[in-house]
Structure formats: structure tokens, C-alpha cells
Amino acid sequence: MKFSENEMTVAVDAAARHLFLARQMPWRRRGALDRWEKMAPFAKYQLRATAGEMVLPTLTALPERPVESGRPAFTAAEVTEAAEGGARGLLNHRDPEAWEKLGARRRKAMLHLTSMVTRLALAAMPERTAPPAASGDQEPPTVPDTPEGLM
């Protein structure tokens, strides 16, 4: 799927925040978003890089959907299939046979985590707005040939 740079940035940031919240002890989650805002930029970068490694390959592996406005909708099977492709690619990039070396339970847990974080990232993306309908009465704007025409 082709997402804009802004959509991808928002998705990775949301995934990083969710991963940060998941690492907090249950009794410390109340003030976790305040701690996220006060966190050092490099610490946020490290979490965003981790989330990006997990989410970006999965988002790009999703099937193309023509969406004029709103958010693209994907089935759980499509997200899981994309998550498997992304996780397999990430692991095999580091070690050519890492995916095959994983046990079935770890592979299943990794797929579950990757697809869950991807769904959270998709839900956090801003909604697309439809471009205004082009009216046949309006002429396209003219671009001047010289810089003097701009003033």
C-alpha cells in the first residue's frame, strides 16, 4: 500500500508510544504518557526506530486500496499476511535462515505482536480527505513565463 510520509510518521510514532506503554508496569501506566512527553529525544528515537523496523515493512506489504477519504480498511488475514512477510524479511535480513530457525510458538507470538502493532498504527493514521470536486466551469491557473509575472 502506498501511504504518505505523514501517514507513515504518525503510524510509527503511535506504534512507538504503544510499545512504550506496554513496557510499563500496570501500576505505572497512569502517568506513562506524561513520561513519554518528557522523555529525552534520543530515547524516543530508539523506540521509534524499533517500531519502524516492525511496522514499516508490514505497512508497505499491505494490498493496495483506492481510498478517496477516510482510512483504508484491511481484513485481519491481510494484516497477518503482511506482518508475516515483514517479520520474515526483517529476521532474514539479519540472518538468512532466522525465520526457519524460530520455533512455531515464537513465530506465532511474533506474528501476533507485529499484526497487533500494525493495526494500532493503522488506527492512528490521519484520515484522508477527498480532493474538492473539479468543476468544468473553472479554468486551470496559468503559470507566468517570467518571474516578473509572479508579482
Side-chain angles (χ1 to χ4, degrees), residues 61-123:
L62 288 169
E64 192 66 37
R65 292 275 194 279
V67 178
E68 289 290 325
S69 63
R71 290 187 187 98
F74 301 99
T75 65
E78 290 172 334
V79 173
T80 303
E81 183 179 333
E84 182 175 355
R88 180 188 302 263
L90 178 63
L91 285 178
N92 287 341
H93 173 72
R94 294 178 179 166
D95 178 15
E97 298 195 10
W99 184 256
E100 287 74 26
K101 291 177 186 176
L102 272 182
R105 292 176 74 190
R106 283 195 177 189
R107 194 179 303 160
K108 183 178 177 182
M110 187 172 203
L111 285 177
H112 178 71
L113 176 68
T114 305
S115 59
M116 179 185 67
V117 172
T118 302
R119 278 190 231 108
L120 292 170
L122 284 169

Side-chain angles (χ1 to χ4, degrees), residues 30-66:
R30 177 169 291 186
L33 289 178
D34 292 333
R35 285 193 304 280
W36 170 262
E37 295 301 325
K38 294 175 186 174
M39 187 184 293
F42 185 69
K44 282 185 184 180
Y45 166 77
Q46 289 176 320
L47 286 169
R48 287 178 179 139
T50 302
E53 281 186 343
M54 184 186 309
V55 171
L56 290 176
T58 305
L59 289 175
T60 57
L62 288 169
E64 192 66 37
R65 292 275 194 279

